[in-house]
Amino acid sequence: MKGMRLLFLFFILYGALSVWAQVHTFLNVQVENDYFNWRGKGTDRYYTGGNFFSVSRVQLNKTIGFLGAELVQKAYTPSNLQEINVAAMDYPYAGFLFLRGSLLLLPKEQDWSILIRISSGTSGPRSGVAAFQKRIHRWVGDEVPQGWGSMQGSIPYRQLEISFSHPLSLTKFISTGIFHQWELGTFYNKLEGQGWLFIGRSAFKYFPGVDGVIQTAFLENYDSKKFAMGILFSAGFQHVLRDRLLEESLYNRTKGSNIVERDIFMKRFIPLVTATIQITRKDMGIRLSQYWRPSVVRLLPTHSYGAIGFSICL
């Protein structure tokens, strides 16, 4: 109930800002899944999929550059989907379902921006991930995961993200910049830093380095009949201070070891590499992304997954 009250207050603020702001309203849909993989059919393990649905408003020449509300669902599975009892050194069956509010601040006469995102929801059976993934697997004729009954109980999911981006334009078709993110909450405490390079053109700009779809600027002088294409590369590191999803799962299955020994099972510094192709017009955009991430668990192989995102200006 508290999460619904916060969402209600968010929409009141959203409506109040819409009265005076010159804005563009976007409907955004993004699907992440390791089935979308540059090597062909994906691995279907670890972070196996996410669904993002959001409504956002992009403003012009205002300190508040973006305001959005988003519904997110994420699913995690182990290496072997037919095992009911998950191996000690593997990912657990887990899922999240949460609402996320986003606010982008654009200080006057400054190129840098700050993105603040607050998430509130649940984990475990209440997330609905088990039923959703089983239905999808039956629909595509793939093996149905057998271990969803081993999920831990539902736990409140509360996260705060503060992200900083500083772009630098080199030429008309090339821009680069840096991105930093601080995240903390009931499940994750992380620090992240990346550098990014964009080559090409775009009808509107995206905030780099975050999941979901965040437009940061809408180019009024762009010809609405022309499509533009660009490629975004980003690379950096993530420092994992806390990962409750994995830590509790690994520690509960390795009770014979002390906490110091068990901590060596996890990597705390994770390299991140992402490549995205974006095709945009003044009123719409399509993004095709590929993510490369080493597993946080030391004994598991590198994982890669893809994303397909679509935005349309209403």
Side-chain angles (χ1 to χ4, degrees):
M1 291 300 294
K2 182 182 293 185
M4 296 304 295
R5 288 196 297 268
L6 291 175
L7 184 64
F8 179 70
L9 292 175
F10 175 82
F11 276 112
I12 291 178
L13 175 63
Y14 178 88
L17 289 171
S18 301
V19 173
W20 56 265
Q22 184 181 4
V23 297
H24 296 276
T25 301
F26 277 88
L27 177 66
N28 310 296
V29 178
Q30 179 162 304
V31 177
E32 295 180 346
N33 201 291
D34 53 7
Y35 190 87
F36 309 138
N37 200 300
W38 66 274
R39 295 174 298 180
K41 183 178 179 180
T43 53
D44 207 6
R45 64 188 181 197
Y46 317 151
Y47 173 54
T48 188
N51 304 301
F52 305 78
F53 178 82
S54 66
V55 177
S56 58
R57 289 209 164 189
V58 180
Q59 300 173 215
L60 295 172
N61 303 318
K62 298 294 182 180
T63 302
I64 299 177
F66 177 97
L67 191 65
E70 185 176 29
L71 179 65
V72 182
Q73 185 184 59
K74 294 186 175 185
Y76 298 80
T77 55
S79 303
N80 189 344
L81 299 184
Q82 299 307 303
E83 289 287 344
I84 298 178
N85 297 317
V86 180
M89 293 293 100
D90 207 343
Y91 271 68
Y93 282 94
F96 300 123
L97 178 66
F98 55 90
L99 294 169
R100 180 162 61 191
S102 302
L103 178 68
L104 180 69
L105 301 178
L106 302 171
K108 293 182 179 180
E109 301 180 357
Q110 301 292 334
D111 293 331
W112 53 270
S113 58
I114 296 178
L115 176 65
I116 301 172
R117 302 202 293 182
I118 300 176
S119 303
S120 178
T122 186
S123 66
R126 291 182 181 176
S127 67
V129 166
F132 180 81
Q133 196 192 49
K134 288 178 181 178
R135 191 174 297 112
I136 293 296
H137 276 240
R138 292 192 181 99
W139 180 60
V140 300
D142 202 357
E143 59 179 346
V144 177
Q146 301 298 311
W148 280 112
S150 65
M151 271 198 302
Q152 295 182 354
S154 297
I155 302 172
Y157 180 90
R158 307 282 189 269
Q159 292 290 130
L160 169 65
E161 301 171 36
I162 301 177
S163 305
F164 168 85
S165 179
H166 193 299
L168 174 65
S169 296
L170 301 179
T171 69
K172 184 177 180 180
F173 299 104
I174 300 177
S175 59
T176 186
I178 58 174
F179 162 83
H180 295 283
Q181 183 183 80
W182 301 266
E183 180 179 359
L184 68 155
T186 56
F187 271 85
Y188 300 107
N189 292 348
K190 300 176 182 178
L191 300 175
E192 184 176 320
Q194 296 189 53
W196 56 267
L197 171 68
F198 179 77
I199 303 173
R201 299 185 67 190
S202 179
F204 41 85
K205 300 178 182 179
Y206 293 100
F207 196 92
V210 296
D211 60 0
V213 179
I214 305 291
Q215 296 92 357
T216 62
F218 197 92
L219 306 183
E220 283 293 295
N221 58 353
Y222 194 85
D223 189 339
S224 62
K225 296 181 179 180
K226 290 184 178 181
F227 284 90
M229 186 172 73
I231 301 177
L232 175 68
F233 298 98
S234 62
F237 283 89
Q238 183 181 87
H239 180 30
V240 182
L241 302 172
R242 184 191 186 206
D243 186 331
R244 181 176 181 176
L245 177 67
L246 282 174
E247 289 172 357
E248 290 190 358
S249 177
L250 292 175
Y251 293 174
N252 289 339
R253 293 198 297 268
T254 56
K255 293 181 178 179
S257 304
N258 62 51
I259 192 169
V260 176
E261 293 172 340
R262 284 178 280 164
D263 195 54
I264 67 173
F265 297 147
M266 295 184 62
K267 301 173 187 175
R268 296 297 179 179
F269 287 91
I270 309 297
L272 312 171
V273 178
T274 305
T276 300
I277 297 175
Q278 11 184 109
I279 302 172
T280 61
R281 203 173 70 167
K282 186 174 181 179
D283 58 351
M284 63 177 293
I286 299 174
R287 288 160 44 103
L288 305 174
S289 302
Q290 187 69 47
Y291 303 87
W292 178 83
R293 304 285 189 269
S295 172
V296 179
V297 182
R298 292 185 181 276
L299 301 181
L300 298 181
T302 297
H303 184 51
S304 58
Y305 60 94
I308 299 176
F310 176 77
S311 302
I312 184 169
C313 185
L314 302 177

